Amino acid sequence: MRFVTTVYLSFLSFVVNNVFPMRFDPAQIEWNINQNETATAPLDYWGQWENHTYEPSPANWRFPFYTLTIDRFINGDPTNDDINGTAWEHDITGTQLRYGGDVAGLQDTLDYLAGMGIQGIYISGSPMINAPWSADAFSPLDLTLLDPHLGTIKQWQDLIADMHARGMYIIVDNTMATMGDLIGFEGYLNESTPLSYTEYNALWKESRRYHDFAIGNTELSECQYPRFWASDGEFVIGNGTENFRGCRDSEFDQYGDVAAFGLYPEWQRQISKFASVQDRLREWNPSVRAKIEHLNCLQITMLDIDGFRMDKGLQITADAEGEWSYHIRQCAAAVGKHNFFLPGEIVGGNPFSAVYIGRGKEPSMADSNASNAVMTTGDTQDPSKYLRGRSKTGFDSAAFHYTIYRSLKRFLGTYNENRLDGFIEATHDASVDLIEAYNDFILTNDFINADSGLFDPRHMYGSENQDVFRWPSLMNGTLKGNLAAFIITLVLPGIPLLIWGQEQAFYILDNTASNYVYGRQPMGSQTAWQDHGCYKLGNSRQANWPSGPYADGCSDDWVSLDHRDPSHPVRNIFTAMFETRTRYPALNDGFRLQTLSKSTYDIYLPASEDQSTETGLWSVMRSRWTGGVIPLDAR
């Protein structure tokens, strides 16, 4: 195992002043998962669901998942719509503030979801308190207080108990190191802050503070920095990191900020404020990480959740992720959850992603033989094959495999004039050929289950999520989306992942920037998304953005309806495919995927440079892993 040699200084525990733990306040008792009335420090916080039997983890996570942002789902309790009493919360005329969806609305919809074969629900956005106007919920302001717009502790517990009674499981978003936007940098309060190796003086933008974490501006001459890896999966030596000299006595990184989109060394993203709007905790500091681990554990013991999806996973330093995962798995095991699920948001190419999956691999650690990779167990502790030991396993899988998504865009983006043209792939992406990509994952990703020690591929594959466009928004897009659903559900070994409304062929786009195109229309009845439903911004990240229904949504009364329609044909297609997985074990747990034959040809689109788009006919096979060559009679 390799250790940092470029910057390795004896590490002093940060001396942090001005942390004011949130006192137990009876007025917040319905939402505060800290139940210790006398706590004086974050590590004193405590909470447990009393008189409750916790739901064990499923042995096998390969079942259909459904993604939803609670605020954009169903409004089941209108009394919490404007619970902060501000003018920037619930807005029935606009699409950018809160719609009003909540936990009560989700519980009311479980029959609809279970009826189509959904067994897992991933809650997009943190359940913890966000700013009153933050509908997406990715900027928590406190890690012990639930967002009152979404529901009380009792409502969350009722929902989760109801789900478990139906054989359903829930994973919630965890932002790990990023929080809200309360901190600014001296001299740069109204502009982007360039990278500084010696950090900036930080200050609070307003009177509000984080109760459990503090800034600090005293310069420390000695700090131990974490290990970094580059986008090619190789250990970083130099590349700017040699310029670090000490750090500040802060629980936040104060090195500056980076834009949400742009080309930066990966290590810069891991120490910078995200997109100028999300403060970054110094999770590579053990004392800071101990707080995060403890507060995250309270969500397990108070709510009985079944997993965390780690937001911006590649912006967490890899070793800190492994340490955090170890403690979270220990917390879950203490209440009987021995296969707690920890997928991560992985937007980069495969070599960098492989550093985070399981015990982590650099390119030189890839297996040369797929059978060896499949037959390997968790007892293999060869340091030449893994970056971390089994106890420090990182992510179990990708939460929405962006490499596969980008390949689907390339694969499905050819139809007469309605083509997706442009540079779609990311740096160091796996092959655009989906079968080749999956087999490359076997060699390069550590798929060993942290608990069972057995080969257990659990990448979550989707064709739509909360951060990308919806296929039905394009001409013939519903047909393309259905083909994508076939691939992620029946072809690729792993977990099929839908987003709310995908089964209803949602097509409205409601983003406000042309370089970040998505559709987050609510599932429930409303009129605002029809009022603003004629999309005109285009997509600056694609050349010659195709035409489609997205431009005419304002004239479609269907947009304003409640969309929990069990008879929708796309929903019936998903239901049939999910049911097929239960009847044919090879479609759920067959790990072998190979191309038998194909008749294809390449298309070169004007703005795609030298990247071809392969189109034609494929014949592929799924089967159990037998080792060696598969006999013809097994095909």
Side-chain angles (χ1 to χ4, degrees):
M1 186 174 290
R2 190 182 295 146
F3 293 93
V4 175
T5 56
T6 54
V7 181
Y8 192 85
L9 304 170
S10 61
F11 186 57
L12 300 178
S13 296
F14 288 146
V15 180
V16 179
N17 301 314
N18 302 320
V19 175
F20 301 102
M22 188 172 183
R23 295 184 179 88
F24 185 88
D25 184 352
Q28 304 293 336
I29 196 170
E30 291 186 276
W31 304 279
N32 192 350
I33 60 175
N34 166 38
Q35 303 287 291
N36 185 354
E37 300 184 21
T38 61
T40 59
L43 295 182
D44 296 331
Y45 296 169
W46 177 90
Q48 190 161 347
W49 189 341
E50 296 183 354
N51 303 314
H52 174 70
T53 301
Y54 292 89
E55 183 73 12
S57 302
N60 186 344
W61 282 99
R62 279 180 296 279
F63 45 68
F65 262 81
Y66 192 89
T67 302
L68 61 92
T69 297
I70 291 184
D71 179 76
R72 292 295 194 258
F73 202 56
I74 298 293
N75 190 345
D77 181 9
T79 64
N80 60 29
D81 289 353
D82 293 294
I83 200 165
N84 283 110
T86 75
W88 309 286
E89 296 173 64
H90 181 241
D91 180 11
I92 64 172
T93 65
T95 63
Q96 301 306 303
L97 298 182
R98 293 182 185 261
Y99 158 69
D102 48 40
V103 167
L106 173 54
Q107 186 172 3
D108 186 56
T109 312
L110 292 180
D111 283 344
Y112 167 84
L113 297 174
M116 65 183 289
I118 296 297
Q119 288 183 257
I121 293 178
Y122 150 49
I123 303 296
S124 168
S126 171
M128 313 315 294
I129 188 170
N130 274 247
W133 51 86
S134 294
D136 66 355
F138 280 104
S139 302
L141 300 172
D142 190 274
L143 298 185
T144 61
L145 200 62
L146 294 172
D147 195 319
H149 293 92
L150 306 182
T152 65
I153 293 173
K154 179 65 165 58
Q155 288 175 316
W156 276 97
Q157 291 175 339
D158 287 346
L159 164 69
I160 293 172
D162 199 350
M163 289 181 60
H164 287 157
R166 298 166 185 263
M168 302 172 76
Y169 299 89
I170 183 170
I171 63 174
V172 301
D173 244 320
N174 188 317
T175 62
M176 177 68 162
T178 52
M179 299 191 72
D181 184 19
L182 303 184
I183 299 171
F185 301 122
E186 192 173 85
Y188 293 91
L189 289 181
N190 295 307
E191 57 185 305
S192 296
T193 312
L195 176 73
S196 170
Y197 290 100
T198 57
E199 298 195 270
Y200 293 91
N201 285 332
L203 49 86
W204 298 105
K205 291 184 174 182
E206 54 183 84
S207 59
R208 178 152 194 164
R209 304 286 190 271
Y210 297 114
H211 287 284
D212 301 320
F213 302 97
I215 59 177
N217 293 321
T218 301
E219 296 184 14
L220 301 176
S221 60
E222 298 180 339
C223 300
Q224 179 185 334
Y225 280 86
R227 298 191 294 178
F228 296 111
W229 281 265
S231 61
D232 60 1
E234 299 291 353
F235 180 71
V236 171
I237 299 177
N239 194 28
T241 60
E242 71 278 8
N243 296 317
F244 285 120
R245 295 291 182 271
C247 57
R248 304 295 176 103
D249 65 337
S250 178
E251 294 188 303
F252 291 88
D253 286 328
Q254 298 174 189
Y255 299 92
D257 55 43
V258 296
F261 303 107
L263 297 176
Y264 308 91
E266 299 296 344
W267 64 264
Q268 287 189 19
R269 301 179 192 275
Q270 296 174 352
I271 62 168
S272 301
K273 183 168 181 171
F274 178 71
S276 302
V277 296
Q278 289 181 342
D279 303 321
R280 186 174 300 280
L281 285 168
R282 190 162 282 173
E283 31 74 46
W284 46 272
N285 175 346
S287 64
V288 177
R289 190 172 60 251
K291 291 185 185 181
I292 298 172
E293 292 161 355
H294 186 70
L295 301 183
N296 291 168
C297 181
L298 292 180
Q299 292 186 50
I300 301 173
T301 58
M302 281 294 291
L303 303 180
D304 197 6
I305 60 174
D306 303 295
F308 284 120
R309 177 265 195 188
M310 303 307 294
D311 183 51
K312 294 186 285 294
L314 300 185
Q315 294 183 28
I316 305 168
T317 54
D319 289 332
E321 168 59 32
E323 294 285 350
W324 176 89
S325 295
Y326 167 76
H327 287 278
I328 292 302
R329 295 183 201 277
Q330 292 289 103
C331 169
V335 294
K337 295 176 179 291
H338 294 284
N339 193 19
F340 197 76
F341 193 26
L342 296 176
E345 181 186 24
I346 295 178
V347 300
N350 185 57
F352 190 42
S353 304
V355 171
Y356 286 79
I357 300 295
R359 291 163 288 183
K361 286 176 174 283
E362 293 177 349
S364 62
M365 298 174 176
D367 280 291
S368 59
N369 180 281
S371 290
N372 288 344
V374 174
M375 301 305 172
T376 297
T377 70
D379 295 328
T380 302
Q381 298 292 339
D382 184 351
S384 68
K385 295 187 65 174
Y386 307 104
L387 294 169
R388 300 176 295 275
R390 180 178 171 185
S391 65
K392 302 302 168 60
T393 294
F395 298 140
D396 292 324
S397 68
F400 175 90
H401 208 296
Y402 274 89
T403 288
I404 293 298
Y405 169 70
R406 289 186 287 265
S407 295
L408 287 172
K409 287 176 67 178
R410 178 67 67 188
F411 172 66
L412 297 170
T414 56
Y415 184 82
N416 297 334
E417 72 280 2
N418 293 299
R419 294 172 170 173
L420 290 179
D421 192 5
F423 194 71
I424 294 174
E425 291 71 34
T427 305
H428 306 297
D429 258 347
S431 171
V432 177
D433 184 299
L434 298 164
I435 288 78
E436 290 180 5
Y438 167 75
N439 284 288
D440 188 43
F441 298 157
I442 290 178
L443 300 176
T444 57
N445 295 185
D446 178 28
F447 282 147
I448 301 302
N449 185 297
D451 293 284
S452 71
L454 301 177
F455 184 78
D456 191 12
R458 288 170 286 174
H459 279 324
M460 305 176 81
Y461 300 116
S463 58
E464 296 179 14
N465 74 9
Q466 64 273 20
D467 291 320
V468 301
F469 73 91
R470 290 185 179 270
W471 281 103
S473 68
L474 306 180
M475 189 68 67
N476 297 303
T478 300
L479 299 177
K480 294 180 179 182
N482 289 343
L483 178 54
F486 173 84
I487 292 170
I488 66 172
T489 304
L490 300 179
V491 176
L492 292 172
I495 299 172
L497 178 66
L498 277 65
I499 186 173
W500 80 94
Q502 186 173 350
E503 78 285 5
Q504 299 289 333
F506 273 17
Y507 68 89
I508 294 294
L509 302 177
D510 55 358
N511 52 282
T512 59
S514 64
N515 66 344
Y516 185 22
V517 179
Y518 55 77
R520 300 176 184 173
Q521 172 189 349
M523 198 73 171
S525 177
Q526 43 64 45
T527 59
W529 272 261
Q530 180 180 351
D531 293 340
H532 301 276
C534 288
Y535 181 77
K536 305 296 184 184
L537 283 178
N539 187 339
S540 62
R541 296 174 69 84
Q542 301 283 170
N544 303 314
W545 180 236
S547 61
Y550 60 77
D552 302 310
C554 57
S555 60
D556 184 358
D557 291 340
W558 175 84
V559 173
S560 295
L561 302 179
D562 187 303
H563 295 285
R564 291 173 289 183
D565 177 6
S567 67
H568 196 286
V570 175
R571 181 182 186 272
N572 291 337
I573 291 171
F574 275 116
T575 302
M577 288 192 290
F578 295 159
E579 195 272 336
T580 302
R581 287 174 63 104
T582 67
R583 287 192 289 120
Y584 298 98
L587 296 178
N588 198 76
D589 299 312
F591 299 149
R592 181 177 288 278
L593 175 64
Q594 67 184 79
T595 299
L596 299 180
S597 64
K598 63 181 180 178
S599 178
T600 64
Y601 59 95
D602 290 337
I603 295 174
Y604 289 87
L605 301 177
S608 295
E609 299 181 0
D610 60 348
Q611 178 62 61
S612 64
T613 298
E614 186 177 14
T615 187
L617 180 66
W618 281 258
S619 175
V620 303
M621 181 201 64
R622 283 279 304 275
S623 74
R624 66 187 179 93
W625 196 276
T626 58
V629 178
I630 299 178
L632 285 174
D633 58 357
R635 298 179 182 178

